[in-house]
Amino acid sequence: MSTALPLHTPSGMTNRLTVLTLPARLSAHMAWLDQSFTAADYHDPARQDAARAELSGRVEGLATVLEQAASAVRDDQAVVLRGLPAQSTAMVVAVASAIGPVVPSRPDRPLIDDIKPDVNAGEQTRIGDLRVALTPHTDNSTMPAPPEILALAFVHNGTPDSGGESTLTHIDDIAAALDDTDVELLQEPRYPSLNVPTDAGRAPTLTSVLARRADGRLTVRYRDAALDAGIASTLAPETPSPAHLSALHRFTTTVREPARQTRARLDTGDMLIIDNARFLHGRTEIAANAVRHLKRLYTRLNPA
């Protein structure tokens, strides 16, 4: 881990975080990449791979760093890549494709989300538009299969005193603080979940908060606003039992404890990459008039 990344880690998450620096010469090839790898190519995994391969041939050391990043993600690490020319969408897609094919979160969504706080927004139209703090959550938690890997590339992240620190919470740290009964209850698909505000008025879907992969590792699917809306909906297929609601309450309380969260001050040119099913992420409040711009995208995970 690099000490160049300002961290607040009461949870000991330093053992789950890998910080890597991209070669300095990467930015010198941005203009070439923008011309040869254009928006028409971004959706094609073969073109993603070809662009990354040629870029790696031009920039000494890039292939090694990207393989280290992919290996760390497979090994259950959160990864921060430093020194990314994130103003170039072509560069963001090419670099992220080292983890796996860059894919939209769902067919009707763009491949890349540009996220900027809207100082004039009267209501929250999508996650990231407002400056309020975001509690730890899973991206696209209401989807049948949420995206595997989340990448956030910072085009600009204000100043050190402007807020917007990223928070990371690993599901194993949360599960270790719960009793076995709660962990079992949270794995049952008894929790109505509703994507708000997009799907307001629709029937919630029943989901579990936790699940186990074939290798025994726990995964998480959690967004408090979606679960609150689903449970409150009169269209919910069923109401969770008092025991299930109590387990969810204890889970939420534990997730929100500052001691369970690592805060990382990510800077312009940083890219955060996490397993969307093993880490919850959020951020602190963004100060008024702070300039913060990031690009959000998702990838599948290449096997080792």
Side-chain angles (χ1 to χ4, degrees):
M1 190 198 73
S2 167
T3 56
L5 183 67
L7 293 172
H8 177 66
T9 57
S11 66
M13 250 276 298
T14 52
N15 295 328
R16 304 188 190 277
L17 181 63
T18 295
V19 181
L20 300 167
T21 301
L22 294 163
R25 292 187 61 248
L26 194 60
S27 59
H29 297 271
M30 185 170 61
W32 161 79
L33 187 65
D34 285 338
Q35 293 174 1
S36 62
F37 182 51
T38 64
D41 304 315
Y42 296 161
H43 283 77
D44 183 351
R47 286 291 298 126
Q48 296 171 15
D49 287 345
R52 187 183 72 258
E54 187 164 353
L55 185 64
S56 295
R58 290 168 174 256
V59 181
E60 184 179 359
L62 178 61
T64 298
V65 174
L66 294 183
E67 178 48 43
Q68 290 173 341
S71 178
V73 173
R74 289 193 295 268
D75 288 343
D76 209 20
Q77 297 278 304
V79 172
V80 175
L81 290 175
R82 312 214 76 179
L84 176 70
Q87 66 269 35
S88 165
T89 300
M91 188 71 73
V92 170
V93 173
V95 168
S97 70
I99 309 302
V102 178
V103 293
S105 58
R106 58 179 192 241
D108 61 336
R109 294 293 302 163
L111 192 69
I112 307 290
D113 285 324
D114 261 348
I115 299 180
K116 306 175 187 179
D118 183 354
V119 296
N120 300 312
E123 62 181 16
Q124 188 164 359
T125 54
R126 76 175 187 208
I127 296 297
D129 289 340
L130 294 188
R131 296 175 179 268
V132 296
L134 298 179
T135 52
H137 63 278
T138 303
D139 262 28
N140 293 283
S141 65
T142 60
M143 291 179 56
E148 287 184 64
I149 305 297
L150 165 67
L152 300 174
F154 288 79
V155 181
H156 192 78
N157 198 22
T159 59
D161 60 352
S162 63
E165 289 182 307
S166 296
T167 64
L168 294 171
T169 307
H170 195 276
I171 189 53
D172 285 355
D173 296 335
I174 300 302
L178 301 173
D179 64 39
D180 292 343
T181 300
D182 283 346
V183 172
E184 292 302 319
L185 288 168
L186 291 164
Q187 291 180 70
E188 297 178 8
R190 299 285 301 278
Y191 298 93
S193 186
L194 186 65
N195 184 25
V196 288
T198 307
D199 292 338
R202 298 184 183 181
T205 56
L206 289 177
T207 63
S208 61
V209 175
L210 301 178
R212 285 202 184 272
R213 289 175 173 166
D215 62 6
R217 290 189 298 172
L218 278 175
T219 62
V220 61
R221 178 199 296 246
Y222 173 82
R223 183 158 70 93
D224 49 5
L227 289 163
D228 289 346
I231 292 168
S233 172
T234 58
L235 301 175
E238 63 178 82
T239 302
S241 72
H244 287 88
L245 290 175
S246 294
L248 178 61
H249 173 72
R250 286 186 286 271
F251 181 89
T252 296
T253 299
T254 304
V255 162
R256 292 185 179 182
E257 291 175 359
R260 310 290 175 189
Q261 300 176 20
T262 290
R263 293 202 315 271
R265 172 66 203 178
L266 298 175
D267 204 355
T268 299
D270 287 344
M271 176 187 272
L272 171 66
I273 307 170
I274 61 170
D275 185 327
N276 192 42
R278 293 282 285 164
F279 288 89
L280 298 171
H281 71 286
R283 63 160 168 74
T284 62
E285 183 178 0
I286 302 171
N289 300 318
V291 178
R292 187 178 193 266
H293 176 197
L294 61 87
K295 294 177 179 179
R296 176 178 61 193
L297 63 157
Y298 305 98
T299 82
R300 293 193 291 270
L301 182 61
N302 282 331

